[in-house]
Amino acid sequence: MTTRSTPQRTGLRVLCFVALAVIALIPWFSSQFVLHLAVLAALNVLVVNGLALVSRSGQLSLGHAAFMAIGAYVGVLASQHMGLAFWSSALAGTVITAIVALLLGWVILRLKGVYFVLVTFAFGELIRLVLLDFSGITGGANGITGIAAAEFLGIVFDTRAKFYGLALVVALLSVLIMHSLFRSPLGHAIDSVADNPGLAESTGLSVHRLQVFAFVGGCAMAAFGGNLLARYIGYISPESFNTSISIGLIIMLVIGGRQSTWGPLVAAIVLTPLPELFRGAVQTQHIFYGAALILILRFLPGGLAALPDTLCRLVTRRNS
């Protein structure tokens, strides 16, 4: 049975890498609209990877978009008012967000289950209200306009094609980092905390510290993604990072696969174009998301990323 399944899995992996190559090349020869969707998909990969890191420690954040907002606003304001270059301002936004996540996570990660979810939801709303109220700094409901394009090594990423190259590299790096992390002892420790925190604690692991590490790392990835989004769109406002964004990220995580490093990539490719397909029919979009979640949770709990292995097992079982 093993000898039959191995070639099938190898073939599926080859198909995945071919698909990645096609994804990387097609937008360069496509319309500006397709290129725009490709940029958003690449940014979603980065942010959902951050949420996946938090999730694999056994928690689920309903305020993930708030950390995107902190990273975006801090980075943009540091660039506009302090004259910092793109990477310096992006680093500043990411570090400040990581510090906020550390202080918040150290306190609220003592909470479990729905209590943690509710606190992260409240934190997300708090950040949105702060951005609205401090209009002298954040622009309030009008947001911040005229955000300069990203620039690195003399290259100004002021076109969709150029920015797609940047976003794709960052997205693939995030996938590789997650893949390497969860093949390491640290990643196995994080997974063990989610599977059985009591057993992990009894073996000498610090459940709280591991969850704080995952929370800070995931929020830092969201912050960098928010900063890139601000540079790409050229405009941010509190509504750019509201609770519906966090819910959309959770849907991507679940449909893609919470326990797979490929899940965010698959989900971003499949789900990012959907709002455009359902433009003018928001209720239909919500119905589709609801039906997709029910079907995934019932028949494919590992998400779309687990579909190749599931098909492989079915084929092997039929041939055996």
Side-chain angles (χ1 to χ4, degrees), residues 255 287-297:
I255 292 180
I287 292 172
F288 176 85
Y289 280 154
L293 278 174
I294 293 172
L295 292 173
I296 290 290
L297 291 173

Side-chain angles (χ1 to χ4, degrees), residues 20 28 70 79 108 133 151 163 170 180 213 252 254 293 297 301:
L20 282 174
W28 297 90
I70 296 172
S79 178
I108 69 171
D133 291 341
E151 182 178 356
F163 200 93
V170 171
S180 300
F213 169 81
M252 281 192 181
V254 174
L293 278 174
L297 291 173

Side-chain angles (χ1 to χ4, degrees), residues 117-147:
V117 173
L118 289 175
V119 171
T120 56
F121 168 76
F123 178 76
E125 286 299 295
L126 174 64
I127 294 298
R128 189 178 68 85
L129 292 175
V130 168
L131 295 176
L132 284 171
D133 291 341
F134 288 85
S135 56
I137 301 173
T138 65
N142 295 324
I144 301 175
T145 59
I147 300 173

Side-chain angles (χ1 to χ4, degrees), residues 200-212:
E201 194 81 46
S202 68
T203 61
L205 295 175
S206 174
V207 172
H208 184 248
R209 289 183 180 178
L210 286 169
Q211 287 184 329
V212 169

Side-chain angles (χ1 to χ4, degrees), residues 178-314:
M178 290 287 287
H179 182 72
S180 300
L181 173 63
F182 285 100
R183 290 171 66 91
S184 69
L186 176 59
H188 293 316
I190 293 173
D191 278 336
S192 69
V193 163
D195 294 337
N196 194 329
L199 179 61
E201 194 81 46
S202 68
T203 61
L205 295 175
S206 174
V207 172
H208 184 248
R209 289 183 180 178
L210 286 169
Q211 287 184 329
V212 169
F213 169 81
F215 187 69
V216 172
C219 293
M221 294 171 72
F224 193 70
N227 198 288
L228 286 176
L229 180 64
R231 297 290 183 165
Y232 173 63
I233 301 295
Y235 166 77
I236 51 173
S237 73
E239 293 307 314
S240 304
F241 308 101
N242 58 29
T243 304
S244 64
I245 302 298
S246 294
I247 294 174
L249 295 173
I250 292 175
I251 291 173
M252 281 192 181
L253 176 64
V254 174
I255 292 180
R258 294 178 60 180
Q259 298 299 316
S260 171
T261 53
W262 294 100
L265 179 64
V266 174
I269 294 170
V270 173
L271 297 181
T272 299
L274 285 183
E276 298 300 329
L277 296 177
F278 289 110
R279 184 178 291 276
V282 178
Q283 296 302 322
T284 305
Q285 177 184 338
H286 292 164
I287 292 172
F288 176 85
Y289 280 154
L293 278 174
I294 293 172
L295 292 173
I296 290 290
L297 291 173
R298 174 61 182 86
F299 298 105
L300 199 64
L304 293 177
L307 185 59
D309 280 344
T310 302
L311 293 176
C312 181
R313 285 195 298 269
L314 290 174

